[in-house]
Amino acid sequence: MSDNNNNTGEKKPNLWSKFMSLSYNKRFLIVLGSVVAVFGLAILILALTLGREMNWYGFIIGMAIVLCVVVGQFSCVKQGYYSDLVFDYVIFGVPFAFGGGVLYYGFFNHFDFRGIAVLGALIGAGIGLLVAMFVYRKFFPNKPKVSMLQMLDLASVFFLLGQCIGRIGCYYASPQCCYGIPVDFDAFPFSYRVNGVLHLGNPFIESLWCLIGFIPMVALYLSKRKSFNGFYISLYCIWYGIARFVLEFFRDPAQKLTATGGLGEGFGISQVVSLLMIVFGIFCIAQYIVRAVLAGKKIMILVPRDLLSDEYFEYNKTVYAHPHGDGNGRSLPKEKCPRKRTKPNKGR
């Protein structure tokens, strides 16, 4: 009897399946790295040729989205989600994010919809995820089930990466945006000139804050220590909410969106949203701990994966209890993969 792949029923993954699952061998990584290096060189030549004539703001935002999708795809596969998860939800999340960012900016800026707000984009992305979940559960019931908290946990880690890169684009926006209060020191990028006046470099400070948060969050997310659904979106809301709340005090009055819908001094609408984010993050973690204690279960926060069991509160709701794939882009047998529950037949 032969022991080849055809008899075992397993197909050897081809180049395309490896690319889509981001599960690579050393040789493939070398080829991919070479392609990226050539692409990067082409972009550098383009930058030196066009200079400021190129729309760097849009280019940087676009590159941030692409990078987040690629790294997010790699992460979702390693966590055990099905390999098409990121692509399935990005096609809804990105358009809603742009729409939410534009509407948020316009509603609080004299109905001028020529800009985009980060917090509005986050709200729009959340709505996009909800719409995607409805569509897939309603019309594609064979797709593995994913909860909103699981999607937010995955997305929140890479929100920080996207914001870290995207905020640099603010330096190239026309007209320039998001700058801080006037200052008397010249130290780019912590300060830069807008219309001949030195302003605090709020975009760079926020970018740096997001980078500082992203590194430990992605390291923990991909580590062998696992947490309950909602843990990482809670950390994100607390971390980014604090930064945005504080930075708004140092934003130039002409750049501050206010709760009255106009521009000017005062307590900005973004500070209100930031406070709500902080409260949500703290509440989400606190309520989980309280419910775990009341249920007499262990608290699932940064627990080694090998030790996870039903003894930990809400472990059964995580992908670690019900993985979709083997962590290398290959799906598990259908009987081991959680699907949408069907309603029982009442006629029986």
Side-chain angles (χ1 to χ4, degrees):
M1 184 174 65
S2 176
D3 293 328
N4 58 28
N5 289 335
N6 291 332
N7 289 341
T8 60
E10 294 183 4
K11 293 183 178 179
K12 186 176 180 180
N14 55 29
L15 189 67
W16 177 248
S17 64
K18 287 183 179 180
F19 178 78
M20 293 302 288
S21 66
L22 294 189
S23 177
Y24 309 131
N25 56 27
K26 185 177 180 179
R27 180 181 177 184
F28 188 83
L29 283 174
I30 293 174
V31 174
L32 181 65
S34 301
V35 173
V36 171
V38 172
F39 178 75
L41 180 61
I43 294 298
L44 178 60
I45 295 174
L46 184 65
L48 295 175
T49 303
L50 296 179
R52 293 191 64 87
E53 295 180 7
M54 182 174 176
N55 183 1
W56 287 108
Y57 179 74
F59 177 79
I60 291 173
I61 296 295
M63 286 298 97
I65 293 173
V66 171
L67 184 60
C68 288
V69 170
V70 172
V71 182
Q73 166 69 5
F74 172 83
S75 301
C76 92
V77 168
K78 292 303 178 184
Q79 290 293 85
Y81 291 107
Y82 70 96
S83 59
D84 291 335
L85 175 67
V86 169
F87 299 106
D88 282 346
Y89 284 81
V90 160
I91 59 176
F92 288 89
V94 171
F96 274 86
F98 274 103
V102 171
L103 291 175
Y104 182 101
Y105 182 88
F107 286 149
F108 300 108
N109 186 19
H110 293 303
F111 296 98
D112 179 1
F113 297 97
R114 291 177 295 178
I116 185 169
V118 171
L119 291 176
L122 294 176
I123 295 171
I127 296 173
L129 294 181
L130 284 173
V131 172
M133 289 181 65
F134 171 79
V135 170
Y136 290 126
R137 293 187 182 188
K138 182 72 174 178
F139 302 104
F140 302 91
N142 288 329
K143 283 188 177 292
K145 185 178 180 181
V146 182
S147 72
M148 185 63 177
L149 284 177
Q150 287 174 317
M151 283 304 308
L152 289 175
D153 274 343
L154 174 63
S156 61
V157 176
F158 302 102
F159 281 159
L160 287 174
L161 177 61
Q163 288 170 270
C164 172
I165 300 171
R167 272 304 183 194
I168 301 302
C170 294
Y171 285 99
Y172 298 95
S174 181
Q176 288 176 298
C177 63
C178 306
Y179 49 85
I181 58 176
V183 294
D184 57 3
F185 63 91
D186 190 353
F188 184 85
F190 290 98
S191 66
Y192 63 110
R193 294 186 181 276
V194 179
N195 298 324
V197 179
L198 281 171
H199 288 267
L200 186 65
N202 276 26
F204 178 74
I205 296 173
E206 184 173 325
S207 174
L208 186 61
W209 181 267
C210 290
L211 177 63
I212 293 172
F214 168 72
I215 293 174
M217 277 187 66
V218 72
L220 287 174
Y221 189 73
L222 294 176
S223 74
K224 294 182 179 181
R225 292 184 173 270
K226 306 304 178 183
S227 303
F228 68 92
N229 293 340
F231 178 68
Y232 287 96
I233 184 60
S234 301
L235 290 184
Y236 169 81
C237 287
I238 295 171
W239 183 258
Y240 183 69
I242 291 173
R244 189 59 186 271
F245 179 79
V246 174
L247 278 176
E248 284 295 308
F249 285 112
F250 299 94
R251 175 169 290 202
D252 189 275
Q255 290 291 302
K256 185 175 290 187
L257 302 179
T258 64
T260 58
L263 293 173
E265 298 180 356
F267 200 73
I269 184 62
S270 294
Q271 288 175 297
V272 175
V273 176
S274 297
L275 283 177
L276 292 175
M277 290 175 65
I278 296 170
V279 171
F280 170 81
I282 295 174
F283 172 79
C284 190
I285 295 176
Q287 62 84 26
Y288 171 82
I289 294 175
V290 170
R291 289 192 299 122
V293 172
L294 292 177
K297 296 266 191 173
K298 294 181 179 179
I299 297 171
M300 186 180 164
I301 296 180
L302 301 180
V303 179
R305 186 164 186 170
D306 294 341
L307 300 180
L308 290 176
S309 67
D310 288 332
E311 294 180 349
Y312 289 90
F313 189 60
E314 293 190 342
Y315 162 71
N316 62 317
K317 294 183 179 180
T318 66
V319 70
Y320 317 118
H322 306 288
H324 308 154
D326 63 356
N328 293 305
R330 292 185 290 269
S331 299
L332 294 178
K334 290 184 178 181
E335 61 270 14
K336 294 184 179 181
C337 186
R339 304 286 176 177
K340 181 180 178 182
R341 295 180 179 178
T342 57
K343 295 181 179 180
N345 189 339
K346 297 182 179 179
R348 290 183 178 179

